[in-house]
Amino acid sequence: MPKHRIYTMSFARVYPLYVAKAEKKQRTKAEVDEIVCWLTGYTQEQLDAQIANQTDFETFFADAPHMNPARSLIKGVVCGVRVEDIAEPTMREIRYLDKLVDELARGKAMTKILRTPDSA
């Protein structure tokens, strides 16, 4: 079975779209970066390097230092599919990120987006 084309797409190609979506709703690039780093465990410097290196999505998630265990708390629909029902691990990680950026653009508080215990 061939890989989905998003896997070979550069994260750097999609990242500006995440930022634009957030900024259109008066959110910031720093908030997008905070979400990406929370999800993947990358530091800001590591994230910047991944973007500069044009790393593809599959490698971006495979090389992530520490995927946040709280990501399993991310629920809901993105692109018409429930993220918690996606079986393929890399696609699920991509959709988790999509869902978090959607929540940011919808004005949700960062504590809720990042699933901090005191936000419940």
Side-chain angles (χ1 to χ4, degrees):
M1 186 169 161
K3 286 184 189 180
H4 194 284
R5 69 183 182 128
I6 189 79
Y7 295 173
T8 58
M9 188 178 295
S10 166
F11 178 77
R13 183 172 166 200
V14 178
Y15 174 77
L17 302 175
Y18 290 145
V19 173
K21 182 174 191 171
E23 288 177 342
K24 184 176 177 184
K25 299 294 185 168
Q26 286 69 54
R27 302 306 287 258
T28 66
K29 175 187 175 297
E31 289 173 309
V32 173
D33 290 354
E34 183 177 353
I35 287 169
V36 174
C37 293
W38 174 86
L39 180 64
T40 61
Y42 285 116
T43 64
Q44 185 64 53
E45 295 76 25
Q46 291 169 322
L47 174 60
D48 293 341
Q50 292 290 333
I51 293 167
N53 293 336
Q54 301 282 316
T55 304
D56 63 61
F57 265 99
E58 187 171 37
T59 306
F60 179 80
F61 284 106
D63 290 352
H66 182 267
M67 294 301 294
N68 194 310
R71 73 190 185 285
S72 64
L73 299 174
I74 301 168
K75 309 280 187 222
V77 177
V78 66
C79 298
V81 178
R82 289 211 147 271
V83 294
E84 59 270 27
D85 294 341
I86 298 171
E88 204 292 308
T90 303
M91 183 60 75
R92 187 174 49 247
E93 303 301 348
I94 292 168
R95 295 303 180 203
Y96 281 155
L97 181 55
D98 291 344
K99 182 68 178 166
L100 294 174
V101 173
D102 282 353
E103 290 176 357
L104 180 68
R106 289 190 181 133
K108 204 169 191 182
M110 284 300 283
T111 56
K112 292 198 179 284
I113 294 169
L114 303 182
R115 282 39 182 194
T116 55
D118 59 334
S119 69

